[in-house]
């Protein structure tokens, strides 16, 4: 079965580049190439589309407005491919992610030759073709689910996060949007430190932290040096560095990539001592692959409490699925329920 693709791009040379890039991929079908968002919305009314590739800077209706309208009426997985997607334009990147785009990819700076992105585009399109998206205006309560996985473990029916708790979060594709919902709900008196790893392209980490800082009442750190961690603070690693705990310090490492990732969720989770695991609340959110699954199981095995985001609310159900299959998950929750834990401090 072919993956049906709609492309929004007003530059004729880049349109041609898309055609050349995909002509040798037998299961890719370009349904239409249009030059603005108005035309894109018309195509969505008449054609079956699996994935949308969308520029941002277009006449009549730009990619921002198209994304907003598409995701509120006929939601589809949208990959933004634009020369505005650069490390110096983080405001635009996270604005369009907030409107509901799933992923972003910068156009090549060398002449805008889109065929240079062929392998990266193919990989992302195949992932997005399996993504189920929901209207941006829908209430997340429609996705509500709670599943107690390991009924042999005697956990109290209610626990509270305290200043002694260590909170860990790992995410990949769809993670920035999930972090946004979590940090918008967390109260200013949240008692525990939060250590966070998000797979993101180099150059965009600091912009993501600055974007999240606008809606989070806690102090967010884009960590550039080792430091003593504090309760009620949030820590993200510098681009291309692992984040690890070392006693009362949170450190950066630039050791080998873990299954292609630096930062790696597993590198953070596996850095905990057995004693720290007992005090840990760990969340593995949306994302492709398996990073974090091994570390999550170790935290659970040593007495910590572990959560995986459920399939319905995940943009890509990869990392949480593998963790569940490994037996590393205490509870499977919708994103809404995860947000509630951070809002109330009760789990």
């Amino acid at each position: 079965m072919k993956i049906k693709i709609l492309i929004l791009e007003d530059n004729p040379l880049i349109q041609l580049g898309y055609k050349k890039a995909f002509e040798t991929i037998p299961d890719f079908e370009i349904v239409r190439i249009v030059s603005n968002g108005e035309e894109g919305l018309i195509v969505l009314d008449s054609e079956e589309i699996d994935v949308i590739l969308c520029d941002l800077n277009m006449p009549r209706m730009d990619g921002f407005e198209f994304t907003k309208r598409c995701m509120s009426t006929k939601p589809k997985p949208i990959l933004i491919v634009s020369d505005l997607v650069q490390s110096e334009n983080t405001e635009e990147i996270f604005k369009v992610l907030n409107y509901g785009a799933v992923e972003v990819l910068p156009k090549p700076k060398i002449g805008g030759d889109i065929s240079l992105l062929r392998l990266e585009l193919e990989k992302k399109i195949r992932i997005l073709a399996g993504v189920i998206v929901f209207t941006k205006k829908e209430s997340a309560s429609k996705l509500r689910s709670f599943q107690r996985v390991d009924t042999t473990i005697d956990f109290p029916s209610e626990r509270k996060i305290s200043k002694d708790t260590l909170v860990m979060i790992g995410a990949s594709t769809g993670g920035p949007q999930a972090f946004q919902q979590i940090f918008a709900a967390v109260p200013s008196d949240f008692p525990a430190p939060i250590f966070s790893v998000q797979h993101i392209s180099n150059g965009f980490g600091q912009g993501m932290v600055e974007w999240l800082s606008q809606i989070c009442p806690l102090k967010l750190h884009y960590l550039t040096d080792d430091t003593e961690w504090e309760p009620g603070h949030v820590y993200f690693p510098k681009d291309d560095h692992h984040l690890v705990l070392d006693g009362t310090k949170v450190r950066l490492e630039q050791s080998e990539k873990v299954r292609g990732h630096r930062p790696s969720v597993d590198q953070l989770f596996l850095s905990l001592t057995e004693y720290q695991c007992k005090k840990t609340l760990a969340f593995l959110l949306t994302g492709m692959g398996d990073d974090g699954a091994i570390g999550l199981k170790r935290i659970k095995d040593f007495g910590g409490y572990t959560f995986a985001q459920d399939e319905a609310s995940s943009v890509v159900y990869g990392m949480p699925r593998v963790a569940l299959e490994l037996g590393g998950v205490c509870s499977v929750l919708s994103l809404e329920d995860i947000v509630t834990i951070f809002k109330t401090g009760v789990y």
Side-chain angles (χ1 to χ4, degrees), residues 67-131:
T67 299
K68 184 160 58 172
R69 294 198 189 187
C70 172
M71 295 308 294
S72 66
T73 56
K74 296 181 179 295
K76 299 290 181 183
I78 298 176
L79 171 62
I80 300 295
V81 187
S82 173
D83 50 14
L84 291 181
V85 179
Q86 307 293 342
S87 58
E88 62 269 23
N89 299 108
T90 52
E91 184 176 345
E92 284 84 356
I93 295 167
F94 295 107
K95 177 181 175 182
V96 77
L97 287 175
N98 188 43
Y99 286 156
V102 175
E103 184 67 278
V104 297
L105 187 64
K107 284 179 180 173
K109 292 185 177 180
I110 306 173
D113 185 357
I114 209 74
S115 64
L116 296 174
L117 294 178
R118 181 191 177 283
L119 293 178
E120 188 74 13
L121 282 167
E122 180 178 359
K123 174 183 173 184
K124 290 186 181 295
I125 288 169
R126 292 193 186 282
I127 293 168
L128 266 61
V131 169

Coordinates of all heavy atoms in Angstrom, one line a residue, residues 67-131:
T67 N -1.2 24.8 9.2 CA -1.1 23.8 10.2 C -2.3 24.0 11.3 O -2.9 23.0 11.7 CB 0.2 23.9 10.9 OG1 1.3 23.7 10.0 CG2 0.4 22.9 12.0
K68 N -2.5 25.2 11.7 CA -3.5 25.5 12.7 C -4.9 25.0 12.2 O -5.7 24.4 12.9 CB -3.5 27.0 13.0 CG -4.5 27.3 14.1 CD -4.1 28.7 14.8 CE -4.1 29.8 13.8 NZ -3.9 31.1 14.5
R69 N -5.2 25.4 10.9 CA -6.5 25.0 10.4 C -6.7 23.5 10.1 O -7.7 22.9 10.3 CB -6.8 25.8 9.1 CG -6.9 27.3 9.3 CD -7.6 28.0 8.1 NE -7.5 29.4 8.2 CZ -8.2 30.3 7.4 NH1 -8.9 29.8 6.4 NH2 -8.1 31.6 7.5
C70 N -5.6 23.0 9.5 CA -5.6 21.5 9.3 C -5.8 20.7 10.5 O -6.7 19.8 10.6 CB -4.3 21.1 8.6 SG -4.1 19.3 8.4
M71 N -5.1 21.1 11.6 CA -5.2 20.3 12.8 C -6.5 20.5 13.6 O -6.8 19.8 14.5 CB -4.0 20.6 13.7 CG -2.6 20.1 13.1 SD -2.6 18.4 12.5 CE -2.8 17.6 14.1
S72 N -7.2 21.6 13.3 CA -8.5 21.8 14.0 C -9.7 21.3 13.2 O -10.8 21.2 13.7 CB -8.7 23.3 14.2 OG -8.8 24.0 13.0
T73 N -9.5 20.8 11.9 CA -10.6 20.4 11.1 C -10.3 19.0 10.5 O -11.2 18.1 10.7 CB -10.8 21.4 9.9 OG1 -9.6 21.6 9.2 CG2 -11.3 22.7 10.5
K74 N -9.2 18.8 9.8 CA -8.9 17.5 9.2 C -7.5 17.1 9.5 O -6.6 17.2 8.7 CB -9.0 17.6 7.6 CG -10.5 17.9 7.2 CD -10.5 17.9 5.7 CE -11.9 18.2 5.2 NZ -12.8 17.1 5.5
P75 N -7.3 16.7 10.8 CA -5.9 16.5 11.3 C -5.1 15.4 10.5 O -5.7 14.3 10.3 CB -6.1 16.1 12.7 CG -7.5 15.6 12.8 CD -8.3 16.4 11.8
K76 N -3.9 15.7 10.1 CA -3.0 14.8 9.5 C -1.6 15.0 10.1 O -1.3 16.0 10.6 CB -2.9 15.0 8.0 CG -4.3 14.9 7.2 CD -4.7 13.5 7.2 CE -6.0 13.3 6.4 NZ -6.5 11.9 6.4
P77 N -0.8 13.9 10.0 CA 0.6 14.1 10.5 C 1.4 15.1 9.5 O 1.4 14.9 8.3 CB 1.2 12.7 10.4 CG 0.1 11.8 10.3 CD -1.0 12.5 9.6
I78 N 1.9 16.2 10.1 CA 2.5 17.3 9.3 C 4.0 17.3 9.7 O 4.3 17.4 10.9 CB 1.8 18.6 9.6 CG1 0.4 18.6 9.2 CG2 2.6 19.7 8.9 CD1 -0.4 19.9 9.5
L79 N 4.8 17.2 8.6 CA 6.2 17.4 8.8 C 6.6 18.8 8.1 O 6.3 19.0 7.0 CB 7.0 16.3 8.1 CG 8.5 16.5 7.9 CD1 9.2 16.6 9.3 CD2 9.1 15.4 7.1
I80 N 7.1 19.7 9.0 CA 7.4 21.0 8.5 C 8.8 20.9 7.9 O 9.8 20.5 8.5 CB 7.4 22.1 9.6 CG1 6.0 22.2 10.2 CG2 7.9 23.4 9.1 CD1 4.9 22.7 9.2
V81 N 9.0 21.3 6.6 CA 10.3 21.3 5.9 C 10.5 22.8 5.4 O 9.8 23.2 4.5 CB 10.4 20.3 4.8 CG1 11.8 20.3 4.2 CG2 9.9 19.0 5.2
S82 N 11.3 23.5 6.1 CA 11.4 24.9 5.8 C 12.8 25.5 6.1 O 13.5 25.0 6.9 CB 10.4 25.7 6.6 OG 10.5 27.1 6.5
D83 N 13.2 26.6 5.4 CA 14.4 27.2 5.7 C 14.3 28.1 6.9 O 15.3 28.6 7.4 CB 15.0 28.1 4.5 CG 13.9 29.0 3.9 OD1 12.9 29.2 4.6 OD2 14.1 29.5 2.8
L84 N 13.1 28.2 7.5 CA 12.9 28.9 8.7 C 13.2 28.0 9.9 O 13.2 28.5 11.1 CB 11.4 29.5 8.9 CG 11.1 30.6 7.9 CD1 9.6 31.1 8.2 CD2 12.0 31.8 8.1
V85 N 13.3 26.7 9.6 CA 13.6 25.7 10.7 C 15.1 25.7 10.8 O 15.8 24.8 10.3 CB 13.0 24.3 10.3 CG1 13.4 23.4 11.4 CG2 11.5 24.4 10.2
Q86 N 15.6 26.6 11.6 CA 17.1 26.7 11.9 C 17.2 27.1 13.3 O 16.3 27.5 14.0 CB 17.8 27.8 11.0 CG 17.5 27.7 9.5 CD 18.1 26.4 8.9 OE1 19.0 25.8 9.5 NE2 17.7 26.1 7.7
S87 N 18.4 26.9 13.9 CA 18.6 27.1 15.3 C 18.4 28.5 15.7 O 18.1 28.8 16.9 CB 20.0 26.6 15.7 OG 21.0 27.4 15.0
E88 N 18.5 29.4 14.8 CA 18.2 30.8 15.2 C 16.8 31.2 15.1 O 16.4 32.3 15.4 CB 19.1 31.8 14.3 CG 18.7 31.7 12.8 CD 19.6 30.7 12.0 OE1 20.1 29.7 12.7 OE2 19.7 30.8 10.8
N89 N 15.9 30.3 14.7 CA 14.5 30.5 14.6 C 13.6 29.6 15.5 O 12.6 29.1 15.0 CB 14.0 30.3 13.1 CG 14.7 31.2 12.1 OD1 15.6 30.8 11.3 ND2 14.4 32.5 12.2
T90 N 14.1 29.5 16.7 CA 13.4 28.5 17.6 C 12.0 29.0 17.9 O 11.1 28.1 18.1 CB 14.2 28.3 18.9 OG1 14.4 29.6 19.4 CG2 15.5 27.6 18.6
E91 N 11.7 30.3 17.9 CA 10.3 30.7 18.2 C 9.4 30.2 17.1 O 8.3 29.7 17.5 CB 10.3 32.2 18.2 CG 8.9 32.8 18.6 CD 8.9 34.3 18.7 OE1 10.0 34.9 18.8 OE2 7.8 34.9 18.7
E92 N 9.8 30.2 15.9 CA 8.9 29.7 14.8 C 8.7 28.2 14.9 O 7.6 27.7 14.7 CB 9.5 30.1 13.4 CG 9.3 31.5 13.0 CD 10.4 32.4 13.6 OE1 11.3 31.9 14.4 OE2 10.4 33.6 13.3
I93 N 9.8 27.5 15.2 CA 9.7 26.1 15.3 C 8.7 25.6 16.3 O 7.8 24.8 16.1 CB 11.1 25.5 15.7 CG1 12.1 25.7 14.5 CG2 11.0 24.0 16.0 CD1 13.6 25.5 15.0
F94 N 8.8 26.2 17.5 CA 7.9 25.7 18.6 C 6.5 26.3 18.5 O 5.6 25.7 19.0 CB 8.6 26.0 20.0 CG 9.8 25.2 20.1 CD1 11.1 25.7 20.1 CD2 9.8 23.8 20.3 CE1 12.3 25.0 20.2 CE2 10.9 23.0 20.4 CZ 12.2 23.6 20.3
K95 N 6.4 27.4 17.8 CA 5.1 27.9 17.5 C 4.3 26.9 16.6 O 3.1 26.6 16.9 CB 5.2 29.3 16.7 CG 3.9 29.9 16.3 CD 4.2 31.2 15.6 CE 2.9 31.8 15.0 NZ 3.2 33.1 14.3
V96 N 4.9 26.4 15.5 CA 4.2 25.5 14.7 C 4.0 24.1 15.3 O 3.0 23.5 15.0 CB 4.9 25.4 13.3 CG1 6.2 24.5 13.4 CG2 4.0 24.9 12.2
L97 N 4.9 23.7 16.2 CA 4.7 22.5 16.9 C 3.5 22.6 17.9 O 2.7 21.7 18.0 CB 6.0 22.1 17.7 CG 7.2 21.6 17.0 CD1 8.3 21.4 17.9 CD2 6.8 20.3 16.2
N98 N 3.4 23.8 18.4 CA 2.2 24.1 19.3 C 0.9 24.0 18.5 O -0.1 23.7 19.1 CB 2.4 25.5 19.9 CG 1.4 25.7 21.0 OD1 1.1 24.9 21.8 ND2 0.8 26.9 21.0
Y99 N 1.0 24.4 17.2 CA -0.2 24.3 16.4 C -0.6 22.9 16.0 O -1.7 22.6 15.5 CB -0.1 25.1 15.1 CG -0.1 26.6 15.3 CD1 0.5 27.5 14.4 CD2 -0.8 27.2 16.4 CE1 0.5 28.9 14.5 CE2 -0.8 28.6 16.5 CZ -0.2 29.4 15.6 OH -0.2 30.8 15.8
G100 N 0.3 21.9 16.2 CA 0.0 20.5 16.0 C 0.9 19.8 15.0 O 0.7 18.6 14.8
A101 N 1.9 20.5 14.4 CA 2.8 19.8 13.6 C 3.6 18.7 14.4 O 3.9 18.9 15.6 CB 3.8 20.7 13.0
V102 N 3.9 17.6 13.8 CA 4.5 16.5 14.5 C 6.0 16.7 14.6 O 6.7 16.4 15.6 CB 4.2 15.1 13.9 CG1 4.9 14.0 14.6 CG2 2.7 14.9 14.0
E103 N 6.6 17.1 13.5 CA 8.1 17.1 13.4 C 8.5 18.2 12.5 O 7.7 18.8 11.7 CB 8.5 15.8 12.8 CG 10.0 15.5 12.8 CD 10.7 15.5 14.1 OE1 11.0 16.6 14.7 OE2 11.0 14.4 14.6
V104 N 9.8 18.7 12.6 CA 10.3 19.7 11.8 C 11.6 19.3 11.2 O 12.3 18.5 11.8 CB 10.5 21.1 12.5 CG1 9.2 21.6 13.0 CG2 11.5 20.9 13.7
L105 N 12.0 19.8 10.0 CA 13.2 19.4 9.3 C 13.7 20.7 8.6 O 12.9 21.2 7.8 CB 13.0 18.3 8.4 CG 14.2 17.6 7.7 CD1 15.1 17.0 8.8 CD2 13.7 16.6 6.7
P106 N 14.9 21.1 8.8 CA 15.4 22.3 8.0 C 15.8 21.9 6.6 O 16.3 20.8 6.3 CB 16.7 22.7 8.8 CG 17.1 21.4 9.5 CD 15.9 20.6 9.8
K107 N 15.4 22.8 5.7 CA 15.9 22.7 4.3 C 17.4 22.8 4.2 O 18.0 23.5 5.1 CB 15.2 23.7 3.4 CG 13.8 23.5 3.1 CD 13.3 24.6 2.2 CE 11.8 24.4 1.9 NZ 11.2 25.6 1.2
P108 N 18.0 22.1 3.3 CA 19.5 22.3 3.1 C 19.8 23.7 2.9 O 19.2 24.4 2.1 CB 19.8 21.4 1.9 CG 18.6 20.4 1.8 CD 17.4 21.2 2.3
K109 N 20.9 24.2 3.5 CA 21.4 25.5 3.3 C 22.1 25.7 1.9 O 22.2 26.8 1.4 CB 22.3 26.0 4.4 CG 21.5 26.2 5.7 CD 22.4 26.7 6.8 CE 21.7 27.0 8.1 NZ 22.5 27.5 9.2
I110 N 22.6 24.6 1.4 CA 23.3 24.6 0.1 C 22.4 24.5 -1.0 O 21.9 23.5 -1.5 CB 24.3 23.4 0.0 CG1 25.2 23.3 1.2 CG2 25.1 23.5 -1.2 CD1 26.1 22.1 1.3
G111 N 21.9 25.7 -1.5 CA 21.1 25.8 -2.7 C 19.7 25.3 -2.5 O 18.9 25.2 -3.4
G112 N 19.3 24.9 -1.2 CA 17.9 24.4 -1.0 C 17.6 23.1 -1.7 O 16.5 22.8 -2.0
D113 N 18.6 22.3 -2.1 CA 18.4 21.1 -2.8 C 17.8 20.0 -1.9 O 18.5 19.4 -1.1 CB 19.8 20.6 -3.4 CG 19.6 19.3 -4.3 OD1 18.5 18.8 -4.4 OD2 20.6 18.9 -4.8
I114 N 16.5 19.8 -2.1 CA 15.7 19.0 -1.2 C 16.1 17.5 -1.3 O 16.0 16.7 -0.4 CB 14.2 19.1 -1.4 CG1 13.4 18.8 -0.1 CG2 13.7 18.3 -2.5 CD1 13.5 19.9 0.9
S115 N 16.7 17.1 -2.5 CA 17.1 15.7 -2.7 C 18.3 15.3 -1.7 O 18.5 14.1 -1.5 CB 17.6 15.5 -4.1 OG 18.7 16.3 -4.4
L116 N 19.0 16.3 -1.2 CA 20.0 16.0 -0.2 C 19.4 15.5 1.1 O 20.1 14.8 1.9 CB 20.8 17.3 0.2 CG 21.6 17.9 -1.0 CD1 22.2 19.3 -0.5 CD2 22.7 17.0 -1.4
L117 N 18.1 15.7 1.3 CA 17.4 15.2 2.5 C 16.7 13.9 2.2 O 15.9 13.4 3.1 CB 16.4 16.2 3.0 CG 16.9 17.5 3.5 CD1 15.7 18.4 3.9 CD2 17.8 17.3 4.7
R118 N 16.9 13.2 1.1 CA 16.1 12.1 0.7 C 16.0 11.0 1.8 O 14.9 10.6 2.2 CB 16.7 11.4 -0.6 CG 15.9 10.2 -1.0 CD 16.6 9.5 -2.1 NE 15.9 8.3 -2.6 CZ 15.8 7.1 -1.9 NH1 16.4 7.0 -0.7 NH2 15.1 6.1 -2.3
L119 N 17.1 10.6 2.4 CA 17.1 9.5 3.4 C 16.4 10.0 4.6 O 15.6 9.2 5.2 CB 18.5 9.1 3.7 CG 19.3 8.4 2.6 CD1 20.7 8.0 3.0 CD2 18.5 7.1 2.1
E120 N 16.7 11.2 5.1 CA 16.0 11.7 6.3 C 14.5 11.9 6.0 O 13.7 11.6 6.9 CB 16.6 13.1 6.6 CG 16.2 13.7 8.0 CD 16.8 12.9 9.1 OE1 17.8 12.2 8.9 OE2 16.3 13.2 10.3
L121 N 14.1 12.4 4.9 CA 12.7 12.5 4.6 C 12.0 11.2 4.5 O 10.9 11.0 5.1 CB 12.5 13.2 3.2 CG 12.7 14.7 3.2 CD1 12.8 15.2 1.7 CD2 11.6 15.4 3.9
E122 N 12.6 10.2 3.9 CA 12.0 8.9 3.8 C 11.8 8.3 5.2 O 10.7 7.7 5.5 CB 12.9 7.9 3.0 CG 12.3 6.5 2.9 CD 13.1 5.6 2.0 OE1 14.2 6.0 1.5 OE2 12.7 4.4 1.9
K123 N 12.8 8.4 6.1 CA 12.7 7.9 7.4 C 11.6 8.5 8.2 O 10.7 7.9 8.8 CB 14.0 8.1 8.1 CG 14.0 7.8 9.6 CD 15.4 8.1 10.2 CE 15.4 7.9 11.7 NZ 16.7 8.4 12.3
K124 N 11.5 9.9 8.1 CA 10.5 10.6 8.9 C 9.1 10.3 8.3 O 8.1 10.2 9.0 CB 10.8 12.1 8.9 CG 12.0 12.4 9.8 CD 12.2 13.9 9.9 CE 13.5 14.2 10.7 NZ 13.3 13.8 12.1
I125 N 9.0 10.3 7.0 CA 7.7 10.0 6.4 C 7.1 8.7 6.8 O 5.9 8.5 7.1 CB 7.7 10.2 4.8 CG1 7.9 11.7 4.5 CG2 6.5 9.6 4.2 CD1 8.2 11.9 3.0
R126 N 8.0 7.6 6.8 CA 7.5 6.3 7.2 C 7.1 6.3 8.6 O 6.1 5.6 9.0 CB 8.7 5.3 7.0 CG 9.0 5.1 5.5 CD 9.9 3.9 5.3 NE 10.3 3.8 3.9 CZ 9.5 3.3 2.9 NH1 8.3 2.9 3.2 NH2 10.0 3.3 1.7
I127 N 7.7 7.0 9.5 CA 7.3 7.1 10.9 C 6.0 7.8 10.9 O 5.0 7.3 11.6 CB 8.3 7.9 11.7 CG1 9.6 7.0 11.8 CG2 7.8 8.1 13.1 CD1 10.8 7.8 12.4
L128 N 5.8 9.0 10.3 CA 4.6 9.8 10.4 C 3.4 9.1 9.7 O 2.3 9.3 10.1 CB 4.8 11.1 9.7 CG 5.2 12.3 10.6 CD1 6.6 12.0 11.3 CD2 5.3 13.6 9.9
A129 N 3.7 8.2 8.7 CA 2.6 7.5 8.1 C 1.8 6.6 9.1 O 0.7 6.2 8.9 CB 3.1 6.6 6.9
G130 N 2.5 6.2 10.2 CA 1.9 5.3 11.2 C 1.3 6.1 12.4 O 0.8 5.5 13.3
V131 N 1.4 7.4 12.3 CA 1.0 8.3 13.4 C -0.5 8.6 13.3 O -1.0 8.9 12.3 CB 1.8 9.6 13.5 CG1 1.2 10.6 14.4 CG2 3.3 9.3 13.8

